[in-house]
Amino acid sequence: MTTVVVCAGGPMGELCSFEPYKERKDVLFIGADRGALYLIEQGITPHAIVGDFDSLSQVEFKQVMEHTNDTQRFHEEKNETDTDLALLKALTFSPTDIVLTGVTGGRLDHYEAAVRSIYRMQIQHPQVILKIINHANLLQFLVPGTHTILADQQYRYLSFFAHEKPIENVTLRHVKYETTNEQISLGTSRFTSNEIIGASGSISFSRGICLMIRSID
């Protein structure tokens, strides 16, 4: 089991906490552009760094280069974003989980691009759990089937949204607001701010893609 934490270069205040990952031997870190510097400043040596590094000064880039032996530098004119390149690098480690942080709170186009990348990769690699995490939220796409959701006081609130098309036969169990074989339609806010009751809850559905967001109060 391998978890890869990808740190992009968004505002530092939006980063997730790295403390739960630092001491784990099954965690690898990848820095995307300025995200590599953020990791180093947190006392983390990136296993790889990726990007065009246009957001770093020469001094900062030299500092980053001194902390890793695996560097992929690209021209600024490229088809992929730095985050995309880092996610592709993460997949080369055959991970069970990929955590992406540093993509919220700054430019909305970068955030939207990151969400679309996570969605695309989740569909292409259903065996990998992909998440976007910041200081207060966790975002994840769910494919049809049954999903157990462990209770976590850090993420008390639980919301579900239809992505691209309605979600069919939605059954929620062990949550404050349960449902049986209902639909989450596009544009509805009805499935916002649920809460898990007990140690875990679950969602099952037969068709569609579910965007799940877990949030701190």
Side-chain angles (χ1 to χ4, degrees):
M1 294 179 63
T2 301
T3 296
V4 179
V5 177
V6 176
C7 182
M12 284 195 66
E14 294 291 317
L15 298 179
C16 71
S17 171
F18 295 118
E19 293 305 319
Y21 306 103
K22 279 185 176 181
E23 303 304 321
R24 287 174 48 186
K25 297 185 182 298
D26 62 339
V27 175
L28 305 176
F29 293 91
I30 296 177
D33 203 81
R34 193 168 191 82
L37 184 63
Y38 291 162
L39 290 174
I40 292 166
E41 290 174 343
Q42 293 287 322
I44 298 169
T45 298
H47 293 80
I49 61 174
V50 176
D52 54 32
F53 305 106
D54 61 344
S55 67
L56 298 179
S57 67
Q58 290 186 350
V59 172
E60 290 170 335
F61 180 67
K62 182 179 178 181
Q63 179 184 0
V64 164
M65 290 292 290
E66 291 173 349
H67 284 81
T68 184
N69 293 320
D70 189 345
T71 303
Q72 290 182 283
R73 189 173 192 180
F74 296 82
H75 292 293
E76 291 184 40
E77 295 78 16
K78 57 188 186 302
N79 293 325
E80 301 85 0
T81 66
D82 290 333
T83 299
D84 278 339
L85 294 170
L87 289 171
L88 290 172
K89 180 68 175 180
L91 288 170
T92 67
F93 293 101
S94 300
T96 52
D97 303 80
I98 296 176
V99 173
L100 175 60
T101 193
V103 294
T104 62
R107 287 176 52 175
L108 289 178
D109 57 341
H110 285 176
Y111 167 70
E112 182 66 21
V115 171
R116 291 174 183 271
S117 294
I118 288 290
Y119 165 66
R120 182 183 71 254
M121 290 187 176
Q122 187 65 82
I123 299 302
Q124 294 173 345
H125 304 275
Q127 77 283 3
V128 181
I129 299 173
L130 295 110
K131 303 173 183 177
I132 292 176
I133 304 180
N134 65 12
H135 71 292
N137 303 279
L138 182 156
L139 181 155
Q140 181 180 352
F141 286 102
L142 306 177
V143 298
T146 299
H147 302 268
T148 299
I149 308 165
L150 298 179
D152 187 336
Q153 288 303 310
Q154 183 178 2
Y155 300 111
R156 177 181 173 185
Y157 295 102
L158 185 65
S159 300
F160 304 99
F161 304 94
H163 188 76
E164 293 192 343
K165 55 187 176 182
I167 306 171
E168 305 293 346
N169 301 311
V170 179
T171 297
L172 295 169
R173 289 291 181 264
H174 304 294
V175 293
K176 188 173 182 179
Y177 307 106
E178 293 192 337
T179 65
T180 301
N181 294 332
E182 294 201 31
Q183 181 191 78
I184 302 180
S185 59
L186 288 171
T188 185
S189 59
R190 179 186 164 204
F191 290 79
T192 305
S193 295
N194 213 327
E195 298 179 50
I196 295 173
I197 304 299
S200 66
S202 69
I203 179 174
S204 63
F205 56 99
S206 63
R207 186 178 301 173
I209 300 296
C210 179
L211 171 60
M212 180 178 72
I213 299 178
R214 305 188 67 173
S215 302
I216 297 172
D217 190 4

